[in-house]
Amino acid sequence: MENYQMIVGLVLGVALLIGLTLKTKVHTFLALIISASVVGVVGGMEPVNVVNSIKAGFGSTLGSIGIVIGFGVMIGRILEVSGAAEKMAFTFIKYLGKGKEDWALAMTGFIVSIPIFADSGFVILTPLVKALSSKTGKSVVGLGIPLATGLIVTHHLVPPTPGPLGVAGIFGADVGQVILWGIIFSIPPLLTGVFYAKWLGKKIHQVPDPTGLSWTREKSEVSFTQAMKESEKLSLKKGPSVFLSFLPIIGPIILIFLNTLVSALKMGGYIQQITSFFGNPIIAMGIGLVLAIYTLSGNDLKEDVLKRLEEGVSSSGIILLITGAGGALGYVIRESGIGSYIAELIAASSIYPILIPFAIATIIRLIQGSGTVSMITAASISAPILANLNISPVFATMSACMGAMVFSYFNDSFFWVVNRMLGIIKVEEQIKVWSIPTTICWAICGVCLMVVNAIFS
């Protein structure tokens, strides 16, 4: 009877979570807390223990990744307003050369989305897409999809982007290893996105009209040299240097990598003490933020810099609350014993455990649209289950993040950002431009996950 009661509590709690976020005005943060309470009380826990578990789960989750998320969004805001994001894009285009504009934009999105939200990154870089389309005659679809794909794969898979960082905290995964595997897993969907864009760009050939205020589907070709001149007119060569533009992103990643490498080699001594300190995500991201402030803010007044930092923090507030609430739900599931019981059932069945977070994230993403909410909720539900099944926390993190990539459509804000910024109006074309590419990326990631997990787990 007790096991039956726990299952009923979990099913009721998850159903309530989905219903509240989908059909009511209740915010996801509150819905997660309500769901955690229902899971615990209906599952047989004492009410006072449910409250204590919610507080403990919320605090422990934010204690591990809350500061890092705060630092990350501050860095992202400075990159946005300083022109560093545009500088990165211009650098890739310049050195990859003629005919490689789509690859350059994909690489730009890949790097930029690590500290900057995908929506913001696409809005910032769309003028570059339009300029290149106008001056090369290439379709904005063929250029915009690679940029959007680059943005979305690292947004879903590579910390310190808030979503995967929160999932890593819930699973207790090493952030350095998550970054490494996130980059590796990002490559196949990134390549696929570019090749798909090359094909679709020929089917939907849309370019800005001469005024730049509307769109036309007339074909024309202009030299790459002219496109580069137009890029210079957009003032992409102004602002910080290439080195300084990349430094606040690459610096912390290198420090975190070194810590992971030294720990894996078990070097010990002072070297490990130094790398474990400076390679801790909190310290590494703090250093990145200091670098961003003093290398990218130029002669800006102190008040202006502080205002930008506060703007970044304000954008991260709801993500922190949702991440903490997700941790609270997972803690309640763990403390109630539901996780252990379901793990025993799975161990006795033929279900492939690594796909549990993937499947949960997929379902929630299709229902409510937000990739970040989907992956964090999936991690919260599945972490107590996988903890008893000897599954790698790193691959479990990847599983939840990948599942949240599926079929972006009307309930996803990024779907509208991509299509509207590229001037795509017809629904069938909107689905081709963004829903199908995200689903292809989701499927490829799922296959890669199973293969890699079978080899390394």
Side-chain angles (χ1 to χ4, degrees), residues 140-453:
V140 288
V141 171
L143 297 172
I145 291 176
L147 172 62
T149 303
L151 288 165
I152 208 67
V153 292
T154 46
H155 177 77
H156 276 261
L157 299 178
V158 183
T161 307
L165 190 62
V167 174
I170 291 171
F171 279 112
D174 179 87
V175 175
Q177 292 187 39
V178 173
I179 292 175
L180 177 61
W181 280 107
I183 292 174
I184 293 172
F185 280 121
S186 294
I187 295 173
L190 184 68
L191 297 176
T192 304
V194 174
F195 286 119
Y196 177 83
K198 288 179 179 291
W199 172 80
L200 189 63
K202 296 176 182 178
K203 303 290 184 182
I204 306 176
H205 188 275
Q206 180 156 290
V207 297
D209 76 348
T211 67
L213 300 176
S214 58
W215 306 91
T216 179
R217 299 207 170 185
E218 296 179 2
K219 294 188 177 182
S220 63
E221 290 292 337
V222 184
S223 70
F224 178 75
T225 302
Q226 287 178 294
M228 292 305 296
K229 288 181 179 179
E230 179 65 21
S231 295
E232 293 181 25
K233 290 179 182 178
L234 288 172
S235 301
L236 294 181
K237 298 192 76 173
K238 295 180 180 180
S241 67
V242 174
F243 175 74
L244 294 181
S245 296
F246 282 93
L247 186 60
I249 303 175
I250 302 300
I253 290 177
I254 291 175
L255 291 174
I256 294 171
F257 272 161
L258 285 175
N259 179 34
T260 300
L261 179 62
V262 170
S263 298
L265 296 176
K266 299 180 180 179
M267 298 179 67
Y270 289 111
I271 293 179
Q272 185 160 351
Q273 291 181 29
I274 293 171
T275 56
S276 64
F277 177 76
F278 288 102
N280 183 284
I282 294 176
I283 303 301
M285 290 300 294
I287 292 173
L289 179 56
V290 171
L291 290 173
I293 292 171
Y294 286 100
T295 62
L296 299 180
S297 60
N299 297 320
D300 293 349
L301 296 175
K302 173 184 175 182
E303 291 76 13
D304 293 335
V305 176
L306 292 176
K307 180 180 179 181
R308 292 168 184 171
L309 295 177
E310 290 173 359
E311 288 171 350
V313 172
S314 64
S315 68
S316 70
I318 194 60
I319 294 176
L320 289 171
L321 289 175
I322 291 174
T323 301
L329 174 59
Y331 200 90
V332 170
I333 292 174
R334 185 180 301 112
E335 291 298 298
S336 68
I338 302 173
S340 299
Y341 175 65
I342 295 178
E344 293 173 2
L345 296 178
I346 293 173
S349 70
S350 58
I351 297 175
Y352 203 31
I354 194 63
L355 290 181
I356 294 174
F358 187 89
I360 296 173
T362 296
I363 294 170
I364 296 175
R365 164 66 177 228
L366 290 171
I367 292 172
Q368 57 81 45
S370 169
T372 300
V373 172
S374 301
M375 63 179 75
I376 289 175
T377 304
S380 305
I381 294 172
S382 59
I385 300 171
L386 298 187
N388 299 283
L389 293 174
N390 196 30
I391 298 296
S392 165
V394 174
F395 291 157
T397 298
M398 290 291 99
S399 179
C401 294
M402 290 172 176
M405 205 178 294
V406 68
F407 199 76
S408 169
Y409 70 116
F410 308 127
N411 58 359
D412 178 17
S413 62
F414 197 54
F415 172 89
W416 296 110
V417 170
V418 171
N419 280 298
R420 290 298 180 179
M421 294 294 287
L422 297 180
I424 306 300
I425 305 300
K426 296 180 180 178
V427 173
E428 61 269 23
E429 289 186 346
Q430 291 177 339
I431 291 174
K432 291 177 182 178
V433 166
W434 195 233
S435 301
I436 292 177
T438 51
T439 305
I440 293 173
C441 291
W442 165 84
I444 289 175
C445 283
V447 173
C448 292
L449 174 67
M450 289 189 289
V451 172
V452 173
N453 181 71

Side-chain angles (χ1 to χ4, degrees), residues 11-36:
V11 171
L12 184 60
V14 172
L16 185 61
L17 171 62
I18 294 172
L20 288 172
T21 55
L22 191 64
K23 296 293 185 181
T24 74
K25 297 179 181 180
V26 173
H27 194 277
T28 303
F29 167 64
L30 178 57
L32 282 165
I33 298 298
I34 293 173
S35 176

